[in-house]
Amino acid sequence: MKKVVIITGLTGSGKSALAMKLCKEYSGEIISADSVQIYKRLDIGSAKASKAEMSSVSHHLIDILNFDETFNVSEFITLCSDALNKIVFNGHIPFIVGGTGLYVKALVEGYNFSNAVGHEDFRRECEDLAIENGNIAVWNKLNELNPEKAKAVHPNNLKRVIRYLEIEMFGEEKKKQESILKDYDVLCLGIIDDREKIYDKINKRVEEMIKLGLEQEVSALIKSGAKREDQSMNTIGYKEWFDYFEGKVTLERTIELIKQHSRNYCKRQLTFLKTIPNIQLVNLKEGEEKIREFLNDRNK
């Protein structure tokens, strides 16, 4: 059976570097499951692979949209399916890599809409997200899943937005769409680590992004017409800069907000990872061992 490796996990956990290493050893190609890396020119803030790295290992679903375009889970599934077919046709192994849990969950279990029942933990998570990042952050999650439904509700109608999200993510429909991975032998890993270690890595990574020129990257995007309402700009590492360029906050505060929002996102990622079917939560070393065992087992 055709094999596919899924490596998701916490921000800053090292999943991309692990995927690059193993793709070189096992003739793999990477399909990005990252909702920011799909955008051109959003490079530093999305921790996108360098051009040298992408020349050594083929990448898919990176740099496919302009900053003013929108994208959702349904489109991701369609493009991911096309990429899977191409990679398998080339005789290579697909590695689906990224921290956007909604994408990975949709891949693994297929779509599951309407007739939702209550999910209190999920509702509290959404409410916490609204407190931390504003109601628009929750509305954007709905917009990723179902743009038409998102248009029908105001972002500030938080209760209704959360209910619609709940339906999209946990409900059932009479004809559930099958997972596009149903004909594959799938290994799905979520890379996690000690929280304090991850937080330290996140803080250091943000500082490195600043050194690499994140401020200049965002400034150039804004000068090209990017707005805080754009889906691409309402993401961690980019949305925090608008108040800075408008003179409302200091550079130091902007950097601290990026770190804080990244840490908060890490918490939400861990909660969401646990909802993905058949996922194995492992540290980086365990993840590498499991992937090698999986790919070396020729009988599967």
Side-chain angles (χ1 to χ4, degrees):
M1 182 179 282
K2 299 171 292 185
K3 297 191 176 193
V4 60
V5 176
I6 300 175
I7 307 176
T8 187
L10 303 181
T11 295
S13 60
K15 53 188 177 291
S16 297
L18 175 61
M20 286 289 298
K21 175 183 178 180
L22 294 177
C23 277
K24 291 176 181 178
E25 292 185 32
Y26 290 93
S27 297
E29 297 186 31
I30 291 175
I31 301 174
S32 172
D34 187 293
S35 61
V36 185
Q37 293 184 359
I38 57 173
Y39 290 103
K40 302 171 185 175
R41 300 175 60 186
L42 276 70
D43 302 329
I44 299 172
S46 69
K48 194 178 293 178
S50 67
K51 289 181 178 175
E53 289 171 326
M54 286 193 272
S55 66
S56 62
V57 173
S58 294
H59 284 66
H60 305 260
L61 274 61
I62 289 180
D63 289 342
I64 61 175
L65 296 179
N66 294 320
F67 60 75
D68 57 350
E69 296 182 275
T70 60
F71 194 70
N72 59 44
V73 174
S74 177
E75 292 170 302
F76 169 75
I77 295 296
T78 298
L79 294 178
C80 186
S81 178
D82 292 341
L84 282 166
N85 291 334
K86 290 178 183 177
I87 294 170
V88 172
F89 180 80
N90 290 337
H92 295 163
I93 297 173
F95 281 70
I96 301 172
V97 184
T100 303
L102 288 174
Y103 290 179
V104 174
K105 185 169 184 175
L107 277 175
V108 172
E109 69 174 14
Y111 288 105
N112 199 9
F113 296 143
S114 71
N115 301 323
V117 296
H119 291 79
E120 294 302 325
D121 289 343
F122 176 73
R123 290 174 184 171
R124 282 194 293 270
E125 181 186 346
C126 289
E127 290 166 356
D128 289 343
L129 175 59
I131 291 170
E132 294 167 357
N133 295 320
N135 293 344
I136 189 66
V138 183
W139 183 90
N140 281 333
K141 285 183 172 292
L142 175 62
N143 190 50
E144 285 186 12
L145 286 170
N146 192 328
E148 291 303 316
K149 189 166 286 186
K151 290 177 184 177
V153 59
H154 193 279
N156 287 336
N157 190 345
L158 183 60
K159 185 176 181 180
R160 181 63 59 84
V161 172
I162 292 175
R163 179 57 179 161
Y164 283 171
L165 256 179
E166 193 178 16
I167 290 171
E168 294 297 323
M169 293 180 62
F170 301 107
E172 297 178 355
E173 66 173 4
K174 293 179 181 178
K175 289 187 178 180
K176 179 179 175 181
Q177 294 186 14
E178 290 185 303
S179 166
I180 63 171
L181 301 178
K182 62 183 177 63
D183 296 325
Y184 288 83
D185 184 15
V186 179
L187 176 66
C188 182
L189 301 179
I191 307 298
I192 60 174
D193 203 343
D194 176 78
R195 181 173 293 185
E196 292 307 314
K197 289 182 181 178
I198 288 289
Y199 286 177
D200 184 57
K201 288 180 182 179
I202 287 172
N203 291 338
K204 289 179 179 177
R205 186 165 77 160
V206 172
E207 291 167 5
E208 182 63 21
M209 288 176 176
I210 299 301
K211 292 179 182 178
L212 291 172
L214 180 58
E215 177 184 348
Q216 292 74 22
E217 178 174 281
V218 180
S219 176
L221 286 163
I222 293 174
K223 288 177 181 177
S224 297
K227 303 177 178 62
R228 63 167 82 220
E229 295 82 15
D230 292 333
Q231 182 176 320
S232 63
M233 292 291 104
N234 195 30
T235 54
I236 297 170
Y238 293 93
K239 63 182 179 180
E240 294 85 2
W241 291 97
F242 285 90
D243 283 348
Y244 168 72
F245 287 120
E246 292 171 9
K248 297 177 181 178
V249 296
T250 64
L251 177 61
E252 291 73 18
R253 178 57 177 161
T254 301
I255 295 171
E256 182 52 41
L257 282 172
I258 296 173
K259 292 179 180 178
Q260 177 186 326
H261 292 162
S262 297
R263 295 192 299 267
N264 292 339
Y265 178 56
C266 183
K267 293 178 187 177
R268 298 194 298 274
Q269 278 183 311
L270 182 57
T271 298
F272 194 84
L273 283 174
K274 296 174 182 177
T275 72
I276 299 174
N278 301 317
I279 192 170
Q280 299 180 54
L281 301 182
V282 295
N283 63 36
L284 202 59
K285 182 179 179 181
E286 292 169 336
E288 181 172 347
E289 291 172 352
K290 285 185 176 294
I291 294 170
R292 291 185 183 281
E293 180 182 356
F294 176 72
L295 295 180
N296 289 334
D297 186 353
R298 304 298 180 184
N299 295 321
K300 279 191 173 183

